[in-house]
Amino acid sequence: MAGRHAIAIDIGRRELRALEAMWDRERLRVGRVLVEPIPDDVGPDDPRSLGVWAGRTLNQAGFGKGRAVAVVSREHVVLKRIALPTAEPRELPEMTRLALHRELPFDPTTAIIDFVLMAGGGTSTTVLAVAVPHGALAPLRQAVRGASRSLEHLSLRNMGVAALLDPDSAEPVLAVDITAERVEFTVVVDGVIRFSRAGELPALEDPAEITAAVVTEARRTWMSYRIVQDSEDVCRAVVFGDPRVAEPAASAIGEILKVETSVFNGHGLVEGFTGGSADGELWPLVGLLLVPNIRIQSIDFAHPRRAPDVRARKRRIAIGVAGLAVVIFMAGMTWARFDLADLQQTVAQLQEKRTVRRPQYLRYGRDLYKLTHLQQWESVDPEWLEHLAYIASLSPPPDRVVLDTWAGTLAFGGVKFDRRSQRFSAPAEIRIAVEGEAADRETADAFRGSLVDTEAYDISTAGPDAQSGRRLPYSFQYNLRTSGDTPVSRDEPPPEAGGQES
């Protein structure tokens, strides 16, 4: 990696975290950092749109293109310490795969498995095996491609944390990695992870509330760690994250564990980065960029360790069979050429028929459109008498209501054609104005209520109901609008409102 820039990307559920650096004489010089909340209109479950947004955000921040180190979400990953009865390096990948298959909570056939050595000697080897379902990596790969970047390394944040700690220290160290989405606790010994547990953090703004959630997870983690077989007491703790949360969390965790606890703020091989404010969440990404140059073991789901290829002979046989199949196929192609002239002649005949009949087809299409247009135009013919009869059927008895005028108009803008759906339509609206007089206000309201209850019309009152009638005391005027079918007159008489006048 020396002499070129490196990019690390961590796409969480609430934040995009990224870092760009350049190797300069065995030192990593950090150039650009980015911690950006994911907008509400960018769905974290839509990797394509998430990747496009991430790429646009990285470009606006000045990040370069090229291959990147990406972080796998801890929620999908299974970590297991396994003792294998072999000291032969060539046997470790297959034995690790077989041993871990029995421990996975998901379909083992979909698992991508990698491992790092923890201890070895004699006839046994202890490894830290890590597995993730293939389906959990597919959205991340798609998001990175959508961001116009390619994958160089696919690992975990705690591998970057382990790279930042002293690899020669034989004392167990507890690393606490705090981000906006989660907190992860990792016990590291000799640069190798011995224990790891992660917990979700709620979406909070107040650093004090986030600190309280971190401390709660720390208590749970410490209880889980103490019951692990061969667990060792940690000698110190290091907290990674936003100093506004990391510093009070470090103080509280130190009191819980009764050990020296500090906030990580620098590495001897890193220049130009202090991890201030929210940038403190980026330290594990710095560690992932350090991994190739400090030559420590790390998980890489993009290039997992594999067993030696013992199927090379079978593959050579398969290639020979495939070659024979190609020869047979080419012989078939030779015989097929004899029929090519006949097929070409048939194509020429069909094209000639198509040329002759195409004008007929186009003329038929024009006639069909004309006919449909006329049919749509003629379909706009309101049944005015039906509307009048329907409204009259809703009217109270003649001694209670007198209808003075009834005026109907048709709002029709002509036949429309939708190019997208290739359909004609004839949108029209029927407008009816009804004026009359009622014996009392209750009767007029009852008549209006009957019109509203039918839901056949949209009704509005043209003026106030007042005692201004000539034959009956209360006059009214209602405007009705509808674009539906002609209503059907109902058989039962409408209810009478109000009492009979004495």
Side-chain angles (χ1 to χ4, degrees):
M1 274 181 83
R4 68 183 182 90
H5 81 285
I7 302 174
I9 302 175
D10 180 8
I11 304 177
R13 297 196 65 84
R14 296 196 292 268
E15 280 186 352
L16 167 66
R17 293 171 285 270
L19 181 140
E20 184 179 49
M22 178 74 72
W23 279 101
D24 181 15
R25 297 181 181 179
E26 302 301 322
R27 298 179 69 84
L28 186 69
R29 186 181 301 276
V30 177
R32 293 180 177 86
V33 295
L34 175 68
V35 178
E36 186 72 17
I38 298 177
D40 294 336
D41 58 347
V42 178
D45 297 323
D46 184 358
R48 183 178 181 278
S49 64
L50 181 60
V52 171
W53 171 83
R56 184 170 60 250
T57 303
L58 292 173
N59 293 339
Q60 292 173 352
F63 279 68
K65 300 291 182 69
R67 301 176 65 82
V69 177
V71 173
V72 181
S73 176
R74 180 65 173 82
E75 61 183 322
H76 303 299
V77 177
V78 174
L79 291 91
K80 186 73 174 179
R81 185 169 58 174
I82 302 176
L84 302 175
T86 182
E88 177 58 50
R90 294 179 299 176
E91 297 177 353
L92 292 178
E94 186 64 17
M95 293 187 69
T96 300
R97 183 184 65 83
L98 293 175
L100 191 59
H101 271 198
R102 297 189 294 266
E103 307 289 339
L104 297 180
F106 52 83
D107 184 2
T109 61
T110 67
I112 296 178
I113 299 174
D114 199 8
F115 67 93
V116 295
L117 298 178
M118 296 181 65
T123 60
S124 66
T125 304
T126 302
V127 300
L128 176 68
V130 186
V132 63
H134 181 272
L137 297 183
L140 177 58
R141 293 179 184 271
Q142 186 176 356
V144 174
R145 287 196 302 269
S148 301
R149 269 76 180 173
S150 57
L151 277 177
E152 180 179 40
H153 196 77
L154 198 55
S155 191
L156 301 169
R157 284 179 64 94
N158 57 10
M159 292 295 164
V161 169
L164 293 171
L165 301 178
D166 184 3
D168 299 325
S169 175
E171 298 179 344
V173 179
L174 173 64
V176 183
D177 179 18
I178 305 172
T179 66
E181 292 95 3
R182 64 180 61 242
V183 56
E184 185 169 3
F185 302 88
T186 306
V187 176
V188 181
V189 182
D190 291 330
V192 180
I193 296 174
R194 294 294 181 91
F195 171 85
S196 177
R197 178 184 179 275
E200 295 288 337
L201 293 178
L204 301 172
E205 298 292 338
D206 185 3
E209 295 180 353
I210 300 175
T211 301
V214 170
V215 173
T216 300
E217 291 296 332
R219 297 181 188 275
R220 295 172 181 170
T221 300
W222 188 242
M223 294 176 61
S224 300
Y225 176 68
R226 297 304 297 169
I227 63 175
V228 174
Q229 184 179 7
D230 299 332
S231 63
E232 303 178 57
D233 290 335
V234 298
C235 297
R236 63 187 181 94
V238 181
V239 181
F240 299 81
D242 187 339
R244 294 172 298 179
V245 177
E247 291 178 357
S251 177
I253 292 173
E255 294 180 1
I256 295 173
L257 305 184
K258 306 301 182 184
V259 297
E260 177 189 354
T261 305
S262 60
V263 177
F264 191 85
N265 57 9
H267 190 279
L269 297 179
V270 179
E271 295 181 353
F273 184 69
T274 60
S277 186
D279 295 346
E281 300 181 9
L282 301 177
W283 272 118
L285 303 186
V286 176
L288 290 177
L289 297 183
L290 286 174
V291 166
N293 268 41
I294 60 178
R295 295 180 177 84
I296 69 169
Q297 298 181 81
S298 182
I299 296 296
D300 184 4
F301 290 116
H303 309 92
R305 293 168 177 81
R306 301 186 184 278
D309 189 0
V310 296
R311 299 182 179 180
R313 182 172 179 273
K314 293 182 178 179
R315 189 163 54 251
R316 287 194 296 269
I317 294 175
I319 292 174
V321 173
L324 179 60
V326 170
V327 172
I328 296 174
F329 174 76
M330 295 302 296
M333 289 294 295
T334 302
W335 287 103
R337 290 193 184 95
F338 294 121
D339 296 331
L340 181 59
D342 293 338
L343 293 175
Q344 290 176 339
Q345 184 178 2
T346 302
V347 169
Q349 293 173 352
L350 293 175
Q351 287 178 341
E352 183 179 358
K353 292 181 180 180
R354 177 179 179 273
T355 302
V356 172
R357 297 179 181 178
R358 181 171 178 78
Q360 301 175 5
Y361 171 77
L362 295 177
R363 184 167 57 252
Y364 169 78
R366 289 194 299 270
D367 293 342
L368 180 61
Y369 278 130
K370 290 178 181 179
L371 176 60
T372 305
H373 185 276
L374 291 174
Q375 289 174 340
Q376 288 288 330
W377 192 279
E378 291 180 348
S379 67
V380 182
D381 186 15
E383 297 289 346
W384 296 111
L385 293 180
E386 294 292 339
H387 284 282
L388 177 59
Y390 183 70
I391 295 173
S393 69
L394 300 176
S395 173
D399 60 337
R400 306 296 298 164
V401 167
V402 174
L403 299 180
D404 290 336
T405 62
W406 186 95
T409 57
L410 175 66
F412 176 49
V415 178
K416 308 296 183 183
F417 179 72
D418 187 350
R419 293 182 179 274
R420 180 175 297 180
S421 62
Q422 295 292 307
R423 291 181 180 275
F424 286 95
S425 63
E429 182 179 69
I430 297 172
R431 302 173 183 175
I432 300 173
V434 179
E435 296 183 14
E437 299 171 354
D440 50 39
R441 179 66 175 269
E442 289 77 7
T443 302
D445 290 343
F447 180 35
R448 187 180 187 280
S450 298
L451 293 173
V452 172
D453 292 341
T454 63
E455 298 183 356
Y457 301 99
D458 292 331
I459 182 171
S460 62
T461 302
D465 297 337
Q467 293 183 348
S468 59
R470 293 171 298 180
R471 288 166 291 181
L472 294 178
Y474 288 86
S475 64
F476 59 83
Q477 181 179 351
Y478 301 143
N479 292 333
L480 311 180
R481 303 164 76 98
T482 182
S483 58
D485 297 333
T486 302
V488 179
S489 299
R490 61 187 201 182
D491 298 331
E492 69 277 5
E496 296 186 13
Q500 296 290 339
E501 294 182 350
S502 58

